[in-house]
Amino acid sequence: MPAPDLLSALDPEQRQVAETLRGPVRVLAGAGTGKTRAITHRIAHGVATGVYAPTEVLAVTFTTRAAGEMRARLRGLGAPTVQARTFHSAALRQLRYFWPHVHGTELPTLTESKIPLVVGAARTLSLRPDQAMLRDLASEIEWAKVSNVRPESYATVAAARNRSVAKVEPEMVGRMIAAYEDVKRAQGRMDMEDVLLLTAGLLADDERVAAQVRRQYKWFVVDEFQDVSPLQSALLDLWLGGRDEICVVGDPAQTIYSFAGADAAYLRDFPHKHPRTTSIELVRNYRSTPQVVTAANTLLAGTGSTSVQLRAQRPAGAAVTYTGHPDEVAEARSVAREIARQRSSGRSLAEVAVLFRINAQSEPYEEALTDAGVPYVVRGAGRFFERGEVREAVTRLRGAARGGAVPAESDTWVDLVRDTLSGMGWTPDPPEARGQTRDRWESWQALVSQAEAFAAESDDHDLAGFVDDLDRRANEQHAPVAEGVTLATFHAAKGLEWDSVFLVGLQDGTLPITYADTPAAVEEERRLLYVGLTRARADLALSWAQARNPGQAARRKPSRFLDPLLPDTERVTSSRKAARGVQTCVECGKPLAGAKGKRRCAECPAPYDEALFERLRTWRAETAAAIDKPAFVVFSNATLEEIATARPTSTRSLLAVSGIGPDKVTKYGDDLLAILAE
């Protein structure tokens, strides 16, 4: 294909990328701006004009899917022999070739999973971790290795970077990392991070190897450069060997893998490292309607996550919708109804996605879509009832039901559910840790919430009926799917796009998630929402639930990220007034007038015995005065309200109240039960 024809279909910015054949080049490419098109045309143009020898080009990306797409495009552009690989694939190819020549031995065996090695390491330290902890330890080992954190430095670095593994002290994690390496070496194995480390070691230690690799590859292109880790950056520098014939492409606004070691600073600071850098911005968004693009730009405006300002190229489309629902069940049913309507209007279900923050949020949507007769597929995780922790929980609950288990005096069958899940590790309060431990807790919490909702439907419901209901849900949601709606987390959706996208569960505490407790972590949560917004081509709907289950108080607020987006100015104003200290009704959210301390308007009576609530408030004030602490340190008003509503009669049922953990029960449980018994 003649070189001019290669460039004729490119927009001005894409064409500038394609024509800037000598490095260093940095391309800041906004979502939907055709970055893959630009860089593949750059490579093909360089080959067609004779600037590049095709066998001397290495294009690097992060996923096998992206590398495959790049190779397919290059074939179509007349450059089929250009290498397009992931970091690991490129490094492993070099390692397999050079290792035997340098060391005279076989390359260590690449392990498929870290888990067996982590088990062996834990055994040497007399640890007995469960599956969730094993997975979290494996993830933390991976992070430490790609971040160049040595075992002896782990505890210090982890504290500085707010890293943790549930129920494992940082010093022990450091010892685990060292023990893992010992076990791995003893078995003659290597993991995926070793592929990069060993390749970097060969290049750094053997000049002949480095010279041969640098003769082979003279031109580098790196896609998704915002996701580069310290280890990958070090390997890339060794490949370059001081040269600057490199083009990097990325978008700081789509940095959502910092927890795994990605560092967007390499993209932002690229011109400082390479002073002769040509920087180009791709801003023309070809994916989404102007309505979607405006929402995406507005979300990031004036924040630390601001990147390029997108400019929509598509015709105007439907308005972005923002909807609050009384509870998660109502939210899921509303989404399912709208998807069914779109299907009846001719939209393919393969072009529809429901995106959420965490995997455990999928269950109400699986249920609602099943009820609506809409097939679906879950991307990036098993369906809710196929997850290991859920299968085990249902099995235990079924055993309890068949064994005729009965609750303790004054408890209910829902307490039996809580007790059963407590035996697996569920606690009323979420774990501080993230990762698999948190994911597993969210799955159990979803079962507890479902039990509470099932019990609220009828006084005749019992544990056996609840287990039957769970079995029904599991059976109905296991039908084979030929074409279906995609259910996925924001993370799993990155790099994909659909005609119609529903972003759900957008309430504070879920997005940003509760454990995002630093400004940097909150900004990463904002970027997650940005990624979700920019997956939509035509229709985009954002929603949130004011409560988890039907009948619960509407205490949740829309995500703070929605403040600049929500068209309902009254709701936004109310939310902001609440943030400034102006009271709003905890039931309906309307501003309150009158006496300070009111929590409900006249139209929303309290669902509990107000005399009991006042007795609890008096006790709290006396207790706080005795320990010289503010009253809220003892219990919040919301927790006192829940106590007055639920009227727990045992330690076990106290633990089921939001805001009461084991420490609070130890300190205040006897007092509370005495007041409730009066």
Side-chain angles (χ1 to χ4, degrees):
M1 184 183 296
D5 291 344
L6 276 171
L7 308 182
S8 60
L10 302 182
D11 69 28
E13 294 81 21
Q14 292 171 345
R15 185 171 185 130
Q16 185 183 1
V17 172
E19 290 180 329
T20 309
L21 297 176
R22 303 302 300 265
V25 178
R26 181 184 69 167
V27 182
L28 296 179
T33 56
K35 66 180 178 65
T36 305
R37 180 184 183 85
I39 59 177
T40 52
H41 278 75
R42 179 182 187 270
I43 294 169
H45 181 56
V47 171
T49 56
V51 176
Y52 305 158
T55 56
E56 295 176 351
V57 179
L58 180 60
V60 187
T61 187
F62 282 82
T63 67
T64 302
R65 181 183 62 81
E69 179 185 354
M70 199 177 292
R71 286 194 296 270
R73 293 200 188 196
L74 288 168
R75 282 195 300 271
L77 294 172
T81 56
V82 170
Q83 293 290 311
R85 296 181 175 274
T86 65
F87 268 100
H88 287 91
S89 173
L92 185 59
R93 191 165 182 257
Q94 294 171 20
L95 195 59
R96 282 174 171 160
Y97 179 80
F98 289 110
W99 184 271
H101 295 295
V102 172
H103 294 283
T105 61
E106 290 296 318
L107 186 66
T109 303
L110 181 61
T111 186
E112 294 182 1
S113 170
K114 288 184 177 67
I115 297 298
L117 300 172
V118 176
V119 170
R123 191 175 295 122
T124 67
L125 298 174
S126 301
L127 289 179
R128 296 293 181 267
D130 59 21
Q131 284 299 313
M133 188 186 292
L134 286 172
R135 291 191 290 266
D136 287 344
L137 285 168
S139 295
E140 199 66 3
I141 290 169
E142 179 176 334
W143 172 80
K145 296 182 75 168
V146 302
S147 302
N148 293 326
V149 176
R150 300 183 63 81
E152 59 271 20
S153 306
Y154 173 82
T156 301
V157 176
R161 301 193 191 179
N162 199 31
R163 307 284 305 190
S164 65
V165 176
K167 301 178 182 178
V168 186
E169 293 296 321
E171 291 76 11
M172 178 58 75
V173 176
R175 292 173 60 194
M176 271 293 305
I177 296 171
Y180 168 87
E181 293 298 324
D182 291 341
V183 170
K184 180 166 55 66
R185 279 193 297 269
Q187 295 184 13
R189 294 183 174 275
M190 64 178 180
D191 58 27
M192 292 300 288
E193 293 70 55
D194 290 329
V195 171
L196 304 183
L197 284 164
L198 295 176
T199 304
L202 282 177
L203 292 167
D205 297 340
D206 195 308
E207 283 297 327
R208 293 171 302 170
V209 171
Q212 191 168 339
V213 169
R214 291 164 191 162
R215 283 195 301 270
Q216 173 69 56
Y217 296 118
K218 299 177 181 176
W219 316 90
F220 292 85
V221 176
V222 186
D223 193 12
E224 302 287 3
F225 199 67
Q226 77 277 354
D227 291 335
V228 163
S229 70
L231 176 55
Q232 289 163 333
S233 177
L235 177 59
L236 186 59
D237 286 344
L238 288 165
W239 280 341
L240 284 165
R243 299 168 295 174
D244 59 8
E245 292 298 349
I246 179 172
C247 172
V248 300
V249 188
D251 181 10
Q254 296 187 69
T255 305
I256 59 172
Y257 292 108
S258 297
F259 65 89
D263 190 347
Y266 293 114
L267 177 62
R268 288 193 301 267
D269 299 340
F270 187 84
H272 298 295
K273 184 174 182 178
H274 301 279
R276 297 190 305 109
T277 294
T278 300
S279 285
I280 304 167
E281 292 187 357
L282 299 183
V283 298
R284 300 173 197 249
N285 179 286
Y286 298 96
R287 176 186 301 159
S288 307
T289 63
Q291 287 79 1
V292 173
V293 168
T294 297
N297 285 336
T298 302
L299 175 69
L300 298 187
T303 73
S305 296
T306 303
S307 180
V308 301
Q309 183 81 1
L310 297 175
R311 298 207 304 265
Q313 305 299 300
R314 290 187 57 173
V320 178
T321 64
Y322 304 86
T323 310
H325 297 276
D327 53 71
E328 291 181 3
V329 174
E331 183 182 13
R333 288 174 178 169
S334 175
V335 169
R337 284 194 300 270
E338 174 58 19
I339 292 173
R341 187 197 66 76
Q342 291 186 12
R343 178 177 61 174
S344 66
S345 299
R347 174 152 290 163
S348 166
L349 293 180
E351 290 298 341
V352 180
V354 179
L355 307 182
F356 33 75
R357 175 62 179 86
I358 56 175
N359 284 319
Q361 289 175 272
S362 75
E363 198 276 333
Y365 295 91
E366 295 179 45
E367 172 76 5
L369 291 170
T370 298
D371 289 346
V374 177
Y376 63 87
V377 292
V378 180
R379 182 179 180 87
R383 295 182 178 192
F384 182 79
F385 287 101
E386 293 175 353
R387 296 168 196 162
E389 66 272 16
V390 176
R391 286 201 309 268
E392 182 183 354
V394 174
T395 298
R396 291 194 182 196
L397 291 172
R398 185 181 298 111
R402 289 177 178 172
V406 295
E409 184 180 356
S410 75
D411 282 353
T412 69
W413 66 264
V414 177
D415 292 310
L416 273 178
V417 172
R418 297 189 186 103
D419 288 347
T420 301
L421 298 183
S422 293
M424 298 177 63
W426 173 82
T427 57
D429 297 318
E432 294 182 0
R434 47 198 89 178
Q436 292 289 339
T437 297
R438 176 72 183 223
D439 290 346
R440 192 166 62 160
W441 182 88
E442 293 284 358
S443 294
W444 290 330
Q445 182 60 37
L447 290 173
V448 171
S449 295
Q450 184 56 41
E452 292 167 348
F454 188 72
E457 291 175 3
S458 171
D459 291 339
D460 294 333
H461 284 166
D462 58 12
L463 179 59
F466 176 59
V467 172
D468 289 343
D469 185 63
L470 294 179
D471 288 340
R472 174 192 62 79
R473 289 167 178 261
N475 290 333
E476 290 178 353
Q477 294 172 25
H478 287 175
V481 175
E483 176 191 78
V485 173
T486 298
L487 302 181
T489 63
F490 293 122
H491 283 103
K494 188 171 184 296
L496 305 175
E497 58 188 76
W498 297 268
D499 285 343
S500 182
V501 172
F502 296 82
L503 307 182
V504 300
L506 304 182
Q507 56 270 340
D508 260 338
T510 304
L511 191 79
I513 203 158
T514 51
Y515 56 69
D517 52 5
T518 66
V522 170
E523 277 307 299
E524 184 132 333
E525 296 286 298
R526 186 192 305 275
R527 294 192 294 270
L528 266 180
L529 180 56
Y530 177 82
V531 167
L533 289 170
T534 55
R535 299 311 94 195
R537 298 191 192 105
D539 294 313
L540 177 62
L542 285 72
S543 62
W544 60 93
Q546 295 166 323
R548 181 186 289 272
N549 292 322
Q552 290 182 335
R555 293 194 176 96
R556 291 171 167 180
K557 300 293 184 184
S559 169
R560 69 194 74 169
F561 301 145
L562 301 184
D563 270 4
L565 300 175
L566 288 172
D568 184 344
T569 55
E570 181 179 350
R571 187 189 300 121
V572 177
T573 302
S574 175
S575 175
R576 288 175 178 164
K577 282 181 179 177
R580 294 198 300 267
V582 176
Q583 286 294 105
T584 58
C585 176
V586 296
E587 302 295 343
C588 67
K590 293 179 181 178
L592 291 172
K596 184 178 180 180
K598 284 179 62 177
R599 291 176 54 79
R600 288 174 176 77
C601 59
E603 294 79 15
C604 297
Y608 51 78
D609 182 335
E610 295 195 23
L612 172 58
F613 177 68
E614 289 304 320
R615 173 71 182 90
L616 290 167
R617 277 167 52 95
T618 300
W619 165 83
R620 180 183 65 178
E622 294 169 350
T623 303
I627 62 175
D628 195 23
K629 298 287 186 182
F632 70 83
V633 171
V634 180
F635 286 119
S636 67
N637 276 350
T639 298
L640 294 185
E641 288 183 0
E642 192 168 338
I643 294 170
T645 301
R647 302 180 72 94
T649 56
S650 67
T651 297
R652 185 181 300 125
S653 49
L654 271 175
L655 284 168
V657 174
S658 177
I660 300 183
D663 288 345
K664 294 272 178 105
V665 166
T666 301
K667 291 178 181 176
Y668 311 124
D670 291 343
D671 288 351
L672 289 174
L673 293 175
I675 292 170
L676 290 161
E678 289 175 359

